[in-house]
């Protein structure tokens, strides 16, 4: 199988180790990974802020770049960015049928990382080990738009040495919400603090998610409040080369 890697901005600029781990995991499963050159932001910040014309311009660039490659799927280590391309691109091009058709065709091949592992590859035994007690946070787009909830947790339960715990308020938003955290920082921080209180109560030493943006937000708040909780993307837990430089 041949897949194209779609790297979100947060991964590219802030957490590149997530992209590296994603490639390592996919290659360990025998998947050929290509990286389409010229890819940029998917346009979600502009779209969420109401700048639809600007978002369309970025989306056209995305379509042009990814349509050049021959691959079976587009794999993305982010639920929110996967949602933007697969769910909202067709809405952006409602008035241009030809572009809408292109968006629907490409969007149908976009898969969030854990969704790809569980529902395309059919991963049963991840063949990974990690020592710790963890909770899993499902980002809002992954939960409410993609409906990919059980898949990453099922994979994590197969990781040797990892105890996956239940925790209160698991279904609540972490408070990031992209530009929401900038426009309403006090509310955003309060929502993160609610998640952190639940994390403390759970007894977990590790927080795992499939959304780098949620991890960035929660890790920032954890560090500001004096916590040393490990914060990892699912790909980092599964990475066969974890610990390598």
């Amino acid at each position: 199988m041949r897949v194209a890697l779609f790297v979100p901005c947060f991964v590219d600029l802030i957490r590149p180790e997530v992209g590296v781990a994603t490639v390592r995991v996919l290659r360990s499963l025998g998947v050929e990974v290509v990286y389409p050159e010229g890819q940029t932001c998917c346009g979600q910040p502009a779209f969420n802020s109401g700048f639809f014309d600007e978002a369309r311009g970025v989306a056209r660039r995305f379509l042009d770049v990814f349509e050049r490659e021959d691959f079976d799927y587009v794999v993305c280590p982010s639920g929110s960015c996967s949602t933007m391309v697969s769910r909202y691109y067709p809405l952006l091009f409602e008035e241009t049928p030809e572009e809408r058709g292109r968006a629907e065709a490409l969007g149908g091949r976009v898969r969030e990382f854990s969704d790809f592992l569980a529902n395309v590859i059919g991963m049963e035994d991840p063949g990974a080990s990690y020592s710790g007690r963890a909770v899993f946070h499902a980002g809002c787009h992954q939960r409410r738009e993609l409906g990919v909830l059980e898949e990453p947790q099922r994979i994590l339960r197969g990781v040797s040495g990892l105890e996956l715990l239940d925790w209160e308020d698991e279904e609540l938003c972490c408070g990031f919400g992209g530009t929401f955290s900038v426009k309403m920082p006090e509310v955003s921080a309060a929502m993160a603090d609610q998640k952190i209180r639940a994390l403390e109560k759970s007894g977990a030493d590790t927080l795992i998610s499939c959304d780098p943006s949620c991890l960035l937000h929660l890790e920032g708040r954890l560090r500001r409040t004096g916590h040393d909780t490990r914060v990892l993307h699912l790909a980092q837990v599964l990475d066969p080369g974890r610990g390598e430089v």
Side-chain angles (χ1 to χ4, degrees), residues 42-58:
C42 65
Q44 185 178 177
F47 180 80
N48 290 346
S49 300
F51 294 99
F52 300 134
D53 288 338
E54 289 79 0
R56 266 187 287 272
V58 178

Side-chain angles (χ1 to χ4, degrees), residues 44 55 60 67 82 151 159 164 191:
Q44 185 178 177
R60 288 189 180 103
E67 284 176 337
S82 298
E151 289 89 339
V159 174
L164 188 64
M191 293 172 72

Side-chain angles (χ1 to χ4, degrees), residues 2-110:
R2 191 169 191 255
V3 305
L5 180 65
F6 164 27
V7 176
C9 300
F10 278 105
V11 172
D12 180 38
L13 299 173
I14 301 174
R15 297 184 73 98
E17 62 273 15
V18 172
V20 173
T22 299
V23 172
R24 283 174 168 165
V25 172
L26 293 174
R27 285 178 175 170
S28 73
L29 295 169
V31 177
E32 180 184 355
V33 183
V34 297
Y35 178 81
E37 296 289 342
Q39 62 175 286
T40 61
C41 176
C42 65
Q44 185 178 177
F47 180 80
N48 290 346
S49 300
F51 294 99
F52 300 134
D53 288 338
E54 289 79 0
R56 266 187 287 272
V58 178
R60 288 189 180 103
R61 166 81 177 188
F62 189 97
L63 292 175
D64 288 343
V65 169
F66 277 84
E67 284 176 337
R68 294 172 190 159
E69 295 285 351
D70 178 25
F71 50 82
D72 301 295
Y73 293 94
V74 178
V75 177
C76 176
S78 166
S80 62
C81 295
S82 298
T83 297
M84 179 63 195
V85 177
S86 63
R87 298 290 192 272
Y88 293 123
Y89 271 19
L91 297 179
L92 276 174
F93 297 115
E94 278 187 318
E95 297 181 2
T96 52
E98 187 272 334
E99 289 181 310
R100 181 184 175 92
R102 291 173 61 198
E104 289 176 342
L106 182 61
R109 291 189 288 163
V110 173

Side-chain angles (χ1 to χ4, degrees), residues 122-189:
M123 175 181 281
E124 296 182 0
D125 178 5
S129 63
Y130 183 87
S131 179
R133 307 178 77 226
V135 291
F136 178 78
H137 168 70
C140 292
H141 284 92
Q142 181 161 355
R143 173 184 297 277
R144 296 174 174 84
E145 297 283 354
L146 301 180
V148 180
L149 301 176
E150 174 56 30
E151 289 89 339
Q153 297 184 59
R154 186 168 70 243
I155 291 171
L156 287 170
R157 291 189 189 100
V159 174
S160 176
L162 177 66
E163 182 182 0
L164 188 64
L165 307 172
D166 293 326
W167 60 320
E168 294 180 358
D169 299 328
E170 182 275 332
E171 75 284 359
L172 297 185
C173 174
C174 71
F176 179 62
T179 54
F180 172 80
S181 63
V182 178
K183 294 178 179 178
M184 305 189 72
E186 294 84 2
V187 177
S188 175

